[in-house]
Amino acid sequence: MNGPRHPILRVSALRKEFRIRTRGTSRTLTAVDGVSLDLYPGETVALVGESGSGKSTAARCIARLVEPTSGEVTLGGVSLTALPRGELPEAYGDLQMVFQDPSSSLNPRMTVRTAIEEPLRLHFSLSRAERDDRVRQLIDAVELSGELLDRYPRQLSGGQRQRVGIARALAVEPKVILLDEPTASLDVSIRGQILDLLGRLQREKGLAYLFITHDLQTVRAIADRVLVMYLGSIVEEGPTRVVFDHPTHPYTRALLSSAPVPEYGRHKKRFLLTGEIPSPIDLPTGCRLASRCPLAQARCSASIPPLIAVSPGHAAACPVVLEASQPGPTGAPVAGPHAASVSSK
């Protein structure tokens, strides 16, 4: 009998604030506000939302490329947020990141061979011959020709550069890869090839992916679970098919209604928001969608709604919708610091 599954990555109440000056006054911009999630081995969790929702900042805080203001990130039971900066390189053996623009993440002065070899030198004690063998294994794993090893990034196509970035991430044999819009800058045909590659590598190596994207068709195709983010907070989460087929939060409904997702919206009335997205420097009280939501009531501006269980593994932060769709009391708020990590797996 199998024992309970444990998350490889756990994020608890992650928050990131930036101090900025506007018109001579110092103000706080809240980019990430209380994000929690669990990620299990071999699983893909998608973090979705419009530009400016805070999803990329959340990923960078998880990797501590940006220091979070508060909250905790644990990787394999080790607190990344508690580690001194000098010990982070060792932790990065289990956690790697692939960025949207491979041109900016690859050193233009390094050949493909040197770029892939660099993490091997930092993390492993290998001979030159062993490193050469490992580089060739990695370039083969991402389906690139060995003839490219002595080329520079400028001599590669966008898809080839992204494959090199993935090979670099794989070099240290990580357990978790944070993928920040990894196909957004690629042509449509190349996107499919990269997604197929990531899927194969995940199956072969048991990798866990946190996939940051605004592309809902990609989410539908690859993600086990989805977390919907609006102005720094998670407003809905659950198994991907459940959320896409039965969206609950008005923001999720609006995203799906406006996106070209073939499985969603057929024979359904479009759900539209009004007005502009509030500034993260001057966030409204209560529900942050209230000023744009056609279902908003006076009470929506009184307090920030918690994530409430809709069904097993599915939660949304909108009691108005839940009360309208369920007889009697609404579901119970999802308890604990991992409100966004209710897993169906």
Side-chain angles (χ1 to χ4, degrees), residues 201-248:
L201 292 171
Q202 184 177 50
R203 292 189 296 273
E204 292 176 355
K205 301 177 182 298
L207 296 165
Y209 293 151
L210 180 61
F211 201 102
I212 313 299
T213 185
H214 63 272
D215 184 345
L216 297 180
Q217 292 193 67
T218 296
V219 173
R220 179 70 142 171
I222 69 166
D224 300 296
R225 288 188 292 125
V226 58
L227 283 69
V228 181
M229 196 168 181
Y230 179 72
L231 279 178
S233 297
I234 304 299
V235 297
E236 186 162 356
E237 63 85 23
T240 302
R241 182 165 292 278
V242 173
V243 172
F244 273 55
D245 291 349
H246 305 285
T248 299

Side-chain angles (χ1 to χ4, degrees), residues 14-162:
L14 191 67
R15 184 178 181 86
K16 178 58 184 177
E17 298 175 348
F18 295 96
R19 297 296 294 176
I20 63 172
R21 294 189 67 83
T22 57
R23 298 178 182 178
T25 302
S26 180
R27 304 183 69 181
T28 299
L29 185 154
T30 303
V32 179
D33 188 9
V35 167
S36 298
L37 65 92
D38 284 350
L39 179 63
Y40 291 83
E43 180 184 43
T44 297
V45 170
L47 186 58
V48 305
E50 297 168 290
S51 297
S53 62
K55 55 190 187 296
S56 290
T57 302
R60 284 165 169 75
C61 286
I62 290 170
R64 278 190 64 186
L65 300 179
V66 172
E67 286 294 333
T69 302
S70 61
E72 185 174 28
V73 177
T74 59
L75 179 65
V78 176
S79 175
L80 291 184
T81 40
L83 281 179
R85 276 216 157 267
E87 296 180 24
L88 280 175
E90 183 176 349
Y92 289 151
D94 287 335
L95 177 73
Q96 288 289 295
M97 194 162 182
V98 174
F99 299 90
Q100 174 179 341
D101 182 4
S103 298
S104 62
S105 60
L106 295 174
N107 189 329
R109 296 182 180 85
M110 286 186 177
T111 63
V112 170
R113 183 192 308 275
T114 306
I116 298 175
E117 189 182 49
E118 183 182 40
L120 294 174
R121 291 199 309 269
L122 294 173
H123 288 268
F124 302 107
S125 297
L126 300 175
S127 68
R128 179 59 185 268
E130 290 172 328
R131 289 199 303 272
D132 285 345
D133 287 344
R134 181 63 178 145
V135 167
R136 290 192 174 276
Q137 290 171 12
L138 289 164
I139 206 75
D140 183 62
V142 298
E143 302 169 3
L144 284 177
S145 168
E147 296 176 356
L148 301 180
L149 284 172
D150 295 316
R151 295 188 185 179
Y152 291 89
R154 66 178 181 275
Q155 297 173 303
L156 305 179
S157 68
Q160 289 172 334
R161 286 194 292 267
Q162 194 59 286

